[in-house]
Amino acid sequence: MLKRIKNQTIGDLLFDCIVALLLFLAVVVCVYPFLYVVSVSISSGDAVNKGLVTLFPVDLNFDALKTVLQYGQLWTSYGNTLFYTVVGTVLNLLFTCLAAYPLSRKQFCLRKPLNFLLAFTMYFSGGLIPIYIVVTSLGLYNTRWSMILPVLVSAYNVMICRSAFESISDELFEEAELAGANDLVIMRKIAVPLIKPTLAVLALYYAVARYNDFFNAMLYISDKKLEPLQLFLRRILLEASSEIMQTTSVSMAAASKSSLQVRYVCIVVSVVPIMLVVPFVQKYLVEGTMLGAVKG
């Protein structure tokens, strides 16, 4: 390390210092808000109200967390979000593969026009009102499927998956066809296993989008029993932060907490699941994205 530094010119050292400084600032900008939210959520209500919390917790106290966790609607919304995320992501991957595989095969006669139509949808759409009319006309309003079917396939992700299929050697497909395998067998036993890193990345993209989706819920869900966590969180942040304290059996001391603290606790509770999942698929990010974007 020291030898490499000695061999660098002053310009190289200055450049490295600037890059390190910018990286440090980027980390601070990204990490500090989250640390602050966590610190506020586990500090005492008095310290929060007096503005004593800056980075680390002051007078460690978990009463606010307990208060939020006693609210039944939180767990209902959690269950709904898990359903929308898990079922939605599985269906997203299934239909993305079913759309991408035929578009990647050169012998498919409709390959070019369908690829054009796929790209066309990325720039032009029917608009919000026609989509809403279609969803309500199909009887999907106020159902779980209204959160899944309208966003079943992403054109961009189909293109990534298509490029990943195209990167597979044609000889593998030809040998499988000579052995008597049909397209479904080839896709399931050869193509899909070879693009697992790309599918892991797409699963992450879809899962994060599903987990954070609140706009579709605002449009198609009016029943609180079906609302996802993000819509519940939005209501707490913008409209009814006192709702939790009023509807849970807590002491007067707990009820006197800052509404800001309750909001921050809700944020922390909503972020935890996605933070637990990301490390398991993070190793596929670089490899999977490159595999889907560059044809080898």
Side-chain angles (χ1 to χ4, degrees):
M1 182 67 179
L2 293 176
K3 183 178 180 181
R4 188 178 70 85
I5 295 177
K6 291 180 179 179
N7 293 333
Q8 285 184 323
T9 64
I10 296 178
D12 292 336
L13 289 174
L14 181 61
F15 177 78
D16 289 343
C17 291
I18 293 175
V19 171
L21 178 61
L22 292 176
L23 180 61
F24 174 76
L25 292 176
V27 171
V28 170
V29 170
C30 294
V31 174
Y32 174 74
F34 181 73
L35 290 179
Y36 176 75
V37 169
V38 173
S39 298
V40 169
S41 64
I42 58 177
S43 297
S44 67
D46 292 337
V48 174
N49 292 328
K50 293 178 181 178
L52 300 179
V53 181
T54 55
L55 179 59
F56 298 105
V58 177
D59 297 332
L60 197 65
N61 190 301
F62 296 97
D63 287 343
L65 181 61
K66 294 177 182 178
T67 301
V68 172
L69 294 181
Q70 290 176 8
Y71 189 53
Q73 181 61 35
L74 170 67
W75 298 109
T76 300
S77 301
Y78 243 127
N80 292 332
T81 291
L82 290 177
F83 176 84
Y84 298 143
T85 301
V86 174
V87 176
T89 300
V90 171
L91 292 178
N92 282 143
L93 292 176
L94 174 62
F95 282 90
T96 295
C97 290
L98 291 175
Y101 178 76
L103 295 177
S104 68
R105 310 313 306 148
K106 296 178 180 179
Q107 62 269 29
F108 181 43
C109 60
L110 298 178
R111 180 172 180 261
K112 289 186 177 180
L114 290 180
N115 276 322
F116 169 78
L117 293 176
L118 180 68
F120 185 84
T121 62
M122 297 179 64
Y123 300 96
F124 304 97
S125 67
L128 182 60
I129 294 177
I131 294 175
Y132 180 83
I133 293 175
V134 170
V135 171
T136 53
S137 299
L138 292 175
L140 298 178
Y141 185 81
N142 248 354
T143 65
R144 295 185 184 276
W145 293 110
S146 65
M147 292 291 294
I148 296 176
L149 295 182
V151 287
L152 192 59
V153 174
S154 165
Y156 176 76
N157 290 340
V158 170
M159 289 183 174
I160 292 179
C161 190
R162 181 197 64 192
S163 298
F165 282 134
E166 289 176 346
S167 67
I168 302 174
S169 175
D170 291 334
E171 285 75 11
L172 290 175
F173 297 114
E174 293 174 358
E175 292 178 4
E177 290 174 356
L178 292 175
N182 57 36
D183 287 325
L184 287 177
V185 173
I186 294 174
M187 183 186 72
R188 182 170 59 89
K189 293 188 176 182
I190 297 177
V192 170
L194 290 176
I195 65 165
K196 283 183 178 179
T198 297
L199 294 181
V201 175
L202 295 183
L204 178 62
Y205 289 167
Y206 278 125
V208 171
R210 293 284 190 181
Y211 191 83
N212 291 326
D213 186 15
F214 75 92
F215 186 70
N216 285 329
M218 290 177 58
L219 295 177
Y220 310 129
I221 300 293
S222 60
D223 187 354
K224 288 187 177 181
K225 294 181 180 179
L226 299 176
E227 73 175 10
L229 180 64
Q230 300 304 327
L231 188 59
F232 163 79
L233 179 61
R234 178 184 179 275
R235 190 177 74 250
I236 295 301
L237 293 178
L238 300 181
E239 302 172 8
S241 59
S242 61
E243 173 184 340
I244 292 180
M245 293 181 288
Q246 294 174 354
T247 55
T248 52
S249 54
V250 296
S251 63
M252 291 300 295
S256 65
K257 289 182 176 63
S258 167
S259 61
L260 177 66
Q261 189 177 21
V262 173
R263 294 173 182 177
Y264 282 4
V265 171
C266 291
I267 293 174
V268 173
V269 171
S270 67
V271 169
V272 168
I274 205 69
M275 289 184 62
L276 296 177
V277 172
V278 169
F280 293 99
V281 295
Q282 186 177 9
K283 62 181 180 180
Y284 294 113
L285 279 174
V286 175
E287 180 183 359
T289 302
M290 295 300 296
L291 181 62
V294 180
K295 183 177 180 180

